[in-house]
Amino acid sequence: TRVVTQLIANLGGSFTLDAALPALRSARDRVPLAGQWQARAFDLVEGTRDIANKPAITPISSAALAAVTEALDGDAWSAASVPGMWSGFGESRYGEAVFRREVMIPEAWAGQDLVIEMGAVDDADITFWNGIEIGSGEGWNVARRYRIPGEQVRAGANQLAVRVFNNFLAGGFNAKPGEMVVYPASRAESGGGGYYHADYRSDFANGDDPYRYIRW
């Protein structure tokens, strides 16, 4: 069957199921994070920051740390479309902003370890889940992937907050929407949940067939 479908594909055929599988799998075992978040600036300055400051290692603002646990309301917060570069940083404003959103977790995931992927964050981040730090990283082009301990995971609404530090040019989430997801850690450990994906994959034990994506 695989040989026949490969030949048909390379003669120009397409398969409805191939297009549907990623969406079906996403609805079943991952929660997307792209969309409308809230954002708030802290300690913004004009001009170039000292890149050697390593802000993700030495946090700047205690007010920002307090803000990661604030209720998701209030006039101090503005809407932000994530992923994307945040207009509040601009081209010459550097410092820190907190981004946050509510994440709805299925009841079956309560108490399980989860994995959060956010793509790259420009330039550094400290990430919190329900007010507890779960990871930090640096690098405008480095993808972030953190584990959320099961004791911090509850069914229904959970609060995700990301302190984003910008110290050069634009700052924000330098990712594609599909790269920003939450899913059970068991899914990652069990082999990714299937052979096929809309893009070639090499991130699970069974691998994928690179020739399937080549049109002869």
Side-chain angles (χ1 to χ4, degrees), residues 61-152:
S61 171
S62 59
L65 180 59
V68 303
T69 58
E70 288 182 8
L72 289 169
D73 54 24
D75 296 335
W77 298 84
S78 59
S81 182
V82 174
M85 297 296 101
W86 185 50
S87 59
F89 283 132
E91 288 294 321
S92 61
R93 301 185 74 199
Y94 306 98
E96 174 180 3
V98 174
F99 294 77
R100 62 184 192 169
R101 62 158 294 164
E102 185 178 82
V103 182
M104 298 300 295
I105 295 299
E107 187 171 347
W109 295 7
Q112 292 189 41
D113 285 8
L114 303 181
V115 172
I116 180 171
E117 297 184 1
M118 297 189 297
V121 181
D122 192 348
D123 292 287
D125 76 287
I126 306 176
T127 298
F128 299 79
W129 183 267
N130 289 329
I132 305 297
E133 183 179 336
I134 58 170
S136 63
E138 294 186 70
W140 66 271
N141 60 349
V142 178
R144 308 307 202 266
R145 187 176 190 268
Y146 305 132
R147 196 178 186 99
I148 307 169
E151 60 266 23
Q152 298 175 25

Side-chain angles (χ1 to χ4, degrees), residues 11 22 28 31 39 53 59 86 96 111 134 137 140 165 175 180 185-186 190:
L11 290 171
R28 184 179 68 247
V31 172
N53 186 38
W86 185 50
E96 174 180 3
I134 58 170
W140 66 271
F165 301 86
M180 303 189 69
S186 57
S190 65

